[in-house]
Amino acid sequence: GRAPPPFGRQLREAKGLLEAGRAQAAASGFEAVLRQEPRCYEALLGLVDCQVEAGNFDGALEVGKRLLGVRPDEAEANLRVAELLVAAGYGADMVAPYLKFAGSGPAGDRRFRLRALCAAADVALLQEDFPKAHASASEAVRLDAESPRALLLLGEARLRVAEYAAALRALGAAANVAGAFGRGGEARLLRARLHTLTAEAHERQRQYPQALSEVQKALDEWPQLPAALVVRATALQQSGRGSEAAEELERLLRENPRDPSARLRLGYCQLCAGSARAAVETLERVVKNGRASRSALGAAKVYLAIALEGPSNGGSSQRAELLVKEGLKAHRNLQQVWREIDSSSAQPAEIVQRLRGICDLDLTSAQAKQLLGLVARATDRADLAPAAARTGSRASDSCPPTPNRWAPQPLGGLGGG
């Protein structure tokens, strides 16, 4: 696998070019070595890094497959492929096996251990196991308190359970050392992700100008980043600019037709605009897509049930109740909130506000009342269904949810967050 002496000089020169930031020239050097020795591990590893520097994660993954073909049990090769899969947007099922093969790496290798912990946090976030994500990110921060990637992941773990102030502290700390991300495609993508998460934390607190400013910073790093565009559309919608939000999402979906987050947000925009039939068509595609996360799928089913219950769709109660049951099972936060409601003596007006407080399920007052009625019928809580229909609310049906959004699993004060 190692380059024989005739290739040694070419390999050293290619590595030097890569370190100097000349990725394209370095790639030519590594490819020259590989034409003579296709199984040269060091040249393959270098070529992976060149593709990443150029922001070509699919190309890097193709080379990563060749890398694993040469050394399938090598910890570094497996960890690198796991990192590439995360960067390219693959799901936890694809990433986890490579991370498992990578293990904790060579004894005493702190840098490898840090990368493995960050990759574990990424996988846990994809699996919506937020306590595990927080634990891995916290350990990574303890290992290196100035690792921007570890701080970013700690911020995202906080964000996912609605601990917005703690999330912004961690993300702010990551921004302060963002220069340590380095150069190239992977660094630009991480900086874009940092700004996107910061934008999302501001949006969740109704700080829409700050959210839109951070989105622009993300797009300056990585133009047309889908996650950033979805956050921008969300901020536009929640600030009363629903038609602009829908146009933004439609443009995004023309470029990325299988993006579940964009289509889910578009479906919700259509629902809020009173276009129930359009919402049904859009949300049906999310449900059938197969790429949405568990809670996003749950949200799509909840919104679809609400749309189907509307008079313009003939009040399809039976299917709506089935969808609500499935949504309740899939959406972790809704499930937790309902479990607490079901075991309490809360009144319908209070229940409506608690439903509206779920951090990753936007609901107007009217939608929350409708959802209460649907869930009450679907879970044999007939005592709540008639009351839900009578429940009034001081809040406008069109206003966004309250900024103090509820989420389960508070994470405590670990890891500098």
Side-chain angles (χ1 to χ4, degrees), residues 6 21 51 120 155 227-228 241 246 255 304 323 354 365 375:
Q51 297 285 358
R241 298 160 65 184
E255 296 294 324
L304 182 54
L323 282 164
R354 293 183 71 181
S365 299
V375 178

Side-chain angles (χ1 to χ4, degrees), residues 9 12 16 29 31 41 46 89 121 129 133 143 159 169 196 214 223 232 251 285 314 365 374 382 387 393 399 406:
R9 182 176 177 180
R12 286 193 301 274
E31 286 166 350
Y41 179 80
D129 188 344
L143 198 62
L159 175 61
R169 285 197 300 274
T196 300
E214 288 292 333
R232 181 159 72 186
R251 281 195 298 272
R285 292 182 68 178
S365 299
L374 280 164
S393 174
C399 75
W406 182 93

Side-chain angles (χ1 to χ4, degrees), residues 25-43:
S28 298
F30 289 126
E31 286 166 350
V33 172
L34 290 166
R35 280 194 292 272
Q36 299 169 76
E37 176 49 72
R39 292 176 61 81
C40 177
Y41 179 80
E42 291 178 62

Side-chain angles (χ1 to χ4, degrees), residues 15-331:
K15 287 179 178 180
L17 289 167
L18 182 59
E19 289 171 3
R22 299 176 59 190
Q24 189 172 356
S28 298
F30 289 126
E31 286 166 350
V33 172
L34 290 166
R35 280 194 292 272
Q36 299 169 76
E37 176 49 72
R39 292 176 61 81
C40 177
Y41 179 80
E42 291 178 62
L44 288 168
L45 198 58
L47 189 56
V48 166
D49 290 338
C50 290
Q51 297 285 358
V52 167
E53 285 290 302
N56 182 6
F57 296 106
D58 288 334
L61 279 169
E62 286 301 312
V63 182
K65 291 177 186 176
R66 293 166 62 188
L67 193 66
L68 287 171
V70 174
R71 296 190 187 177
D73 299 323
E74 181 79 20
E76 175 61 35
N78 279 280
L79 179 58
R80 199 73 186 101
V81 169
E83 291 170 332
L84 291 169
L85 287 166
V86 169
Y90 285 85
D93 290 348
M94 285 288 290
V95 182
Y98 296 100
L99 188 57
K100 183 178 179 181
F101 276 120
S104 57
D109 189 335
R110 286 171 59 87
R111 183 174 178 275
F112 187 99
R113 177 63 178 155
L114 177 67
R115 290 169 55 207
L117 285 166
C118 288
D122 267 318
V123 170
L125 286 166
L126 291 169
Q127 294 170 330
E128 299 183 353
D129 188 344
F130 304 129
K132 184 176 180 180
H134 181 266
S136 294
S138 295
E139 189 174 347
V141 170
R142 285 193 290 271
L143 198 62
D144 183 354
E146 294 190 350
S147 164
R149 188 177 175 204
L151 289 164
L152 179 154
L153 289 162
L154 181 61
E156 183 167 2
R158 295 286 196 180
L159 175 61
R160 297 300 167 224
V161 294
E163 295 182 5
Y164 301 122
L168 285 170
R169 285 197 300 274
L171 294 169
N176 289 338
V177 292
F181 278 134
R183 299 172 300 201
E186 192 167 27
R188 287 189 296 109
L189 183 59
L190 283 169
R191 282 193 292 269
R193 181 178 172 186
L194 169 62
H195 290 302
T196 300
L197 291 168
T198 304
E200 189 174 349
H202 284 303
E203 184 279 321
R204 294 288 85 180
Q205 297 179 96
R206 297 192 196 171
Q207 297 165 350
Y208 304 125
Q210 296 96 316
L212 293 171
S213 174
E214 288 292 333
V215 165
Q216 189 55 54
K217 291 176 185 176
L219 296 173
D220 289 343
E221 291 284 355
W222 198 274
Q224 303 305 309
L225 179 67
L229 293 171
V230 171
V231 174
R232 181 159 72 186
T234 303
L236 290 172
Q237 183 198 7
Q238 296 289 54
S239 57
R241 298 160 65 184
S243 60
E244 290 178 62
E247 289 171 7
E248 177 96 46
L249 293 163
E250 286 164 356
R251 281 195 298 272
L252 173 55
L253 287 165
R254 282 194 289 272
E255 296 294 324
N256 299 274
R258 288 178 59 80
D259 188 306
S261 298
R263 200 167 295 281
L264 173 61
R265 179 52 58 175
L266 177 60
Y268 186 63
C269 281
Q270 292 165 334
L271 181 62
C272 291
S275 304
R277 289 185 179 177
V280 167
E281 182 179 342
T282 300
L283 294 165
E284 290 278 18
R285 292 182 68 178
V286 180
V287 169
K288 294 173 183 175
N289 178 288
R291 295 182 62 185
S293 68
R294 174 178 165 177
S295 287
L297 180 61
K301 290 184 175 184
V302 166
Y303 293 149
L304 182 54
I306 290 171
L308 287 170
E309 271 276 286
S312 61
N313 285 302
S316 308
S317 293
Q318 190 171 1
R319 175 142 191 253
E321 288 176 25
L322 177 62
L323 282 164
V324 158
K325 277 186 178 179
E326 293 173 353
L328 185 61
K329 184 177 180 180
H331 197 287

